[in-house]
């Protein structure tokens, strides 16, 4: 609905607005859903049973809308504050919803969750430059491009200049710092959830390792995790134990 298929931006935005209305109906206890009953029937039960913070679901929809509008307008982000605010709505709600289900509500845990989720979103941006830019999605901010002297034309042409390499390296470094900042959350979640989160953290860090190993050339290549990365991820996850 947000970024697949051949729908126009106006059609995507209209569909998301209808989706949002169905979400609010579910949150308000409405009994019938003309659209997506397979989604909003079970979701309504989950909202009631687990007292889910519905605003977090609206935040995710806000991020979808923002992506459509910025892609439509060929617009990017001015600075890190704007980009991280997008992450606050596109990624952080997922972690907060999971913490809510596990009954973890402390301010420190929420902050660590936000740091991990923002890091995962940023890692995805820097991993996907070679596919996002042709689709009209620009996440390298104007301030960062100016700082490293990288013209927008070089980004649009996906020219891996030395300055572009330094820019992507700095962005990857910020993502790594955010992931490490939140990594102690793995010790606040019980049992399987904590171990799954360890693998999520290590998966993100491994992608950053791969970006570094290819000298940050993600304007032309997209690094991915492979089956043979699994033993390393498991070992690194095990090393995160207390």
């Amino acid at each position: 609905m947000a970024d697949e298929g051949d729908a126009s931006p106006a059609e995507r935005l209209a569909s998301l607005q209808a989706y949002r209305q169905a979400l609010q109906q579910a949150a308000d206890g409405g009994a019938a859903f003309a659209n997506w009953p397979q989604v909003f029937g079970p979701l309504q039960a989950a909202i009631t049973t687990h007292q889910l913070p519905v605003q977090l679901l609206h935040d995710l929809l806000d991020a979808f809308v923002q992506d459509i509008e910025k892609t439509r307008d060929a617009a990017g982000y001015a600075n890190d504050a704007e980009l991280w605010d997008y992450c606050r709505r596109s990624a952080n709600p997922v972690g907060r919803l999971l913490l809510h289900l596990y009954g973890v509500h402390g301010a420190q845990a929420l902050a660590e969750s936000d740091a991990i989720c923002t890091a995962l979103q940023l890692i995805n941006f820097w991993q996907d430059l070679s596919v996002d830019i042709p689709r009209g999605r620009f996440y390298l901010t104007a301030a960062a491009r100016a700082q490293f002297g990288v013209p927008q034309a070089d980004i649009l042409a996906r020219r891996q200049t030395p300055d572009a390499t330094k820019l992507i390296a700095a962005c990857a470094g910020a993502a790594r710092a955010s992931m490490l900042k939140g990594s102690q959350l793995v010790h606040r979640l019980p049992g399987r959830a904590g171990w799954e989160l360890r693998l999520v953290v290590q998966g993100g860090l491994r992608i950053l390792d791969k970006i570094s190993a290819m000298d940050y050339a993600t304007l032309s290549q997209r690094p991915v995790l492979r089956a043979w990365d699994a033993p390393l991820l498991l070992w690194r996850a095990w090393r995160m134990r207390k």
Side-chain angles (χ1 to χ4, degrees):
M1 188 183 301
D3 58 13
E4 299 293 337
D6 300 320
S8 69
E11 290 168 336
R12 295 184 192 282
L13 292 171
S15 294
L16 282 175
Q17 180 58 28
Y19 205 82
R20 188 189 297 277
Q21 290 170 350
L23 168 60
Q24 195 56 54
Q25 184 182 3
D28 293 341
F33 305 100
N35 297 313
W36 309 288
Q38 73 279 14
V39 173
F40 291 104
L43 180 58
Q44 184 179 67
I47 289 171
T48 301
T49 300
H50 302 290
Q51 294 297 295
L52 296 180
V54 177
Q55 182 56 47
L56 294 175
L57 301 172
H58 280 291
D59 288 346
L60 291 170
L61 292 178
D62 287 344
F64 294 148
V65 168
Q66 182 170 325
D67 245 350
I68 293 167
E69 292 176 339
K70 281 190 172 289
T71 303
R72 175 197 64 193
D73 300 338
Y77 290 83
N79 50 43
D80 283 349
E82 277 193 12
L83 187 62
W84 287 51
D85 181 66
Y86 170 74
C87 297
R88 178 185 63 79
R89 287 170 288 114
S90 70
N92 296 4
V94 177
R96 286 183 171 241
L97 284 165
L98 288 170
L99 289 188
H100 182 86
L101 291 174
Y102 282 100
V104 178
H105 304 293
Q108 185 65 31
L110 291 173
E112 290 167 349
S113 174
D114 288 349
I116 289 173
C117 291
T118 290
L120 290 169
Q121 181 72 90
L122 294 172
I123 291 166
N124 181 248
F125 291 158
W126 316 142
Q127 175 188 24
D128 282 355
L129 290 173
S130 65
V131 295
D132 278 340
I133 292 169
R135 296 170 66 197
R137 296 196 170 184
F138 311 113
Y139 299 106
L140 292 165
T141 69
R145 295 197 312 272
Q147 178 184 352
F148 288 91
V150 181
Q152 175 75 334
D154 282 357
I155 299 301
L156 293 178
R158 290 185 288 149
R159 285 193 282 267
Q160 193 75 40
T161 65
D163 287 338
T165 296
K166 293 175 184 176
L167 166 60
I168 297 168
C171 291
R176 183 181 293 274
S178 183
M179 182 68 84
L180 294 176
K181 179 180 177 182
S183 62
Q184 289 304 303
L185 181 63
V186 304
H187 303 301
R188 303 182 193 277
L189 295 183
R192 175 176 171 175
W195 283 100
E196 288 180 348
L197 183 58
R198 286 169 171 84
L199 288 170
V200 168
V201 168
Q202 292 303 331
L205 293 173
R206 180 61 178 156
I207 288 292
L208 289 174
D209 290 344
K210 287 174 176 275
I211 292 173
S212 174
M214 58 191 287
D215 198 22
Y216 305 99
T218 53
L219 287 171
S220 58
Q221 305 176 59
R222 182 180 184 272
V224 296
L225 294 177
R226 304 290 187 184
W228 51 82
D229 290 304
L232 178 62
L233 296 181
L234 289 168
W235 179 68
R236 289 180 173 179
W238 179 79
R239 289 189 65 195
M240 293 179 75
R241 74 194 192 286
K242 281 188 175 181

